[in-house]
Amino acid sequence: MYLDDPGQSLSELIGSVISEIGIENFKRYLWNIFMSHVDDNQEIKNRFIEYISSPRMFTSYSNLSANSKFESCFKSYKELADALLGEKVSRATKNEREEFLLNSIMTCFIDKFKYTNIARYYVGILSENINISKSWDLIVSGQAKDLAKKEVVLLKSIVEIVKNQMGYTDFYLLVDEFEEVASNRLTKKEADNYMSNLRALIDRERNWCSVFAMNPRALEDVKQISLALFGRISNSTITLTPFDANQLGLVIENYIDTVRKNNDSIYPFTDAAVQTLYNGVEDENLKGSPRYLLKLCYSILQDAAVTLDKGQSIDEDFVKSFLNKIDE
């Protein structure tokens, strides 16, 4: 799982994890957990059968037993929700059913995840499916206030949900641009809390692997803010050495090949243009930086699409002109 921004808090990172899994996918996983809970709980099952066995609701099922009607509606959570809360249900009856459904889901999730605030968080994710208005943005942005100090447990439960529902054995999390956490964008207290929770998560969960991508300066900042976290994430490091001009040309060719298969060419760039671009980066911290060079290539292509005639190349002079414009 690749996250291009660690966010400003661990709960925001968790929201990004759920978004990356896919909102609908994650809802389905949660509904599957609840449906399994109902299958194992005859009292809840009987109550649902009672609700959905009304002749007024299911005239087309008149020849079926109550259990058959129930099983038909429980093929998916959408059918169940429609049967319980559909248009044919009176407002008063719908309120009663909503309350019972919510309470049943809460009971299931508390039993499964052990913490009321985590159960409430997951119920919030499912709320849209049972006609309760709740902002998804609030849930995934890390602003759910009652999650304070439970972020580690929450992320661990998310990992377990995905592993169990999909049959995965391992979970890999690549967090890019981690320097955003170590920079001055966060207050000292916010950065301390973030890194303390992250260190606790790494210590408690052994069935997932985390990779944090950042520049060398940010790694030193992490060391100053949280020596404990620095010790965890610097135990195994992969240092990406700067590109040289030949590697830049190869990467450009590979990118272009994604849309022009087996082209084996850097056109519309020329070899001289690539060398000029590489040599034109004067900031020593950015010279040879793969990300920075690729961003420059993208911007050059955008500029060329507007200013060059069809068939013209991006040559040495064009790159020099472009670099002069961004320096002004």
Side-chain angles (χ1 to χ4, degrees):
M1 181 168 296
Y2 170 75
L3 305 179
D4 61 1
D5 185 345
Q8 298 190 36
S9 66
L10 192 57
S11 55
E12 192 173 331
L13 178 95
I14 291 169
S16 298
V17 169
I18 294 178
S19 294
E20 186 70 16
I21 293 169
I23 296 171
E24 291 305 318
N25 287 334
F26 198 72
K27 284 181 181 179
R28 188 173 70 253
Y29 302 157
L30 292 175
W31 277 114
N32 287 345
I33 291 170
F34 175 64
M35 289 179 177
S36 295
H37 172 77
V38 173
D39 279 342
D40 294 334
N41 191 308
Q42 194 60 46
E43 184 178 348
I44 295 176
K45 183 179 289 189
N46 289 342
R47 185 74 172 270
F48 280 129
I49 292 173
E50 177 185 335
Y51 277 143
I52 67 177
S53 297
S54 167
R56 191 180 71 173
M57 285 289 296
F58 290 93
T59 54
S60 60
Y61 291 96
S62 57
N63 293 325
L64 297 177
S65 67
N67 275 297
S68 296
K69 294 175 185 177
F70 173 79
E71 295 301 334
S72 175
C73 291
F74 210 64
K75 288 179 181 178
S76 76
Y77 71 85
K78 292 181 180 179
E79 290 189 32
L80 178 63
D82 184 60
L84 289 172
L85 310 171
E87 295 180 358
K88 295 181 180 180
V89 181
S90 68
R91 183 66 258 176
T93 303
K94 185 177 291 187
N95 288 339
E96 177 190 339
R97 294 181 178 193
E98 281 180 357
E99 183 178 357
F100 179 72
L101 180 57
L102 277 174
N103 289 339
S104 298
I105 296 173
M106 272 294 293
T107 299
C108 167
F109 289 170
I110 290 173
D111 181 63
K112 177 73 174 177
F113 305 112
K114 309 307 179 188
Y115 293 96
T116 301
N117 46 2
I118 291 179
R120 190 178 297 117
Y121 180 85
Y122 287 148
V123 170
I125 291 175
L126 297 182
S127 61
E128 183 183 2
N129 297 122
I130 45 183
N131 302 319
I132 297 174
S133 178
K134 187 159 185 170
S135 170
W136 173 255
D137 290 337
L138 180 68
I139 293 170
V140 300
S141 65
Q143 298 177 42
K145 295 180 181 179
D146 58 351
L147 283 179
K149 300 181 181 179
K150 287 292 181 291
E151 295 94 342
V152 172
V153 180
L154 177 61
L155 186 51
K156 183 175 180 179
S157 72
I158 292 170
V159 172
E160 289 304 313
I161 288 170
V162 175
K163 285 170 59 179
N164 292 337
Q165 291 292 317
M166 298 301 296
Y168 297 147
T169 57
D170 299 283
F171 198 93
Y172 297 88
L173 187 65
L174 171 59
V175 183
D176 205 354
E177 300 195 35
F178 196 70
E179 55 265 27
E180 293 297 319
V181 175
S183 70
N184 293 327
R185 187 178 71 164
L186 303 183
T187 66
K188 183 180 184 303
K189 182 178 180 180
E190 289 171 336
D192 285 345
N193 288 339
Y194 193 121
M195 294 190 188
S196 175
N197 285 333
L198 194 55
R199 189 263 303 162
L201 179 66
I202 292 171
D203 285 348
R204 290 180 59 174
E205 181 55 52
R206 299 299 181 186
N207 292 324
W208 66 290
C209 174
S210 55
V211 180
F212 301 93
M214 68 191 85
N215 58 44
R217 185 184 303 167
L219 185 59
E220 285 302 309
D221 291 339
V222 171
K223 185 177 181 180
Q224 297 303 315
I225 298 171
S226 175
L227 187 60
L229 179 63
F230 173 81
R232 303 318 190 268
I233 67 178
S234 63
N235 187 46
S236 178
T237 59
I238 302 171
T239 302
L240 302 180
T241 57
F243 275 178
D244 59 29
N246 290 332
Q247 289 171 317
L248 175 58
L250 179 60
V251 169
I252 290 173
E253 179 183 313
N254 289 340
Y255 265 74
I256 290 174
D257 271 354
T258 63
V259 290
R260 284 199 318 246
K261 298 297 184 184
N262 302 317
N263 183 67
D264 297 329
S265 168
I266 61 172
Y267 177 82
F269 292 91
T270 66
D271 290 334
V274 173
Q275 188 68 53
T276 300
L277 174 59
Y278 181 81
N279 293 332
V281 179
E282 297 180 356
D283 188 332
E284 288 301 318
N285 290 318
L286 295 176
K287 196 173 187 67
S289 164
R291 174 170 292 159
Y292 182 68
L293 287 169
L294 289 173
K295 285 183 176 179
L296 284 180
C297 288
Y298 181 74
S299 298
I300 289 171
L301 281 172
Q302 286 184 307
D303 196 21
V306 175
T307 58
L308 292 181
D309 294 329
K310 186 176 181 180
Q312 284 188 287
S313 297
I314 298 174
D315 58 17
E316 180 180 0
D317 291 336
F318 187 88
V319 171
K320 285 181 179 179
S321 175
F322 176 84
L323 292 176
N324 288 334
K325 282 192 292 185
I326 65 174
D327 287 337
E328 292 175 356

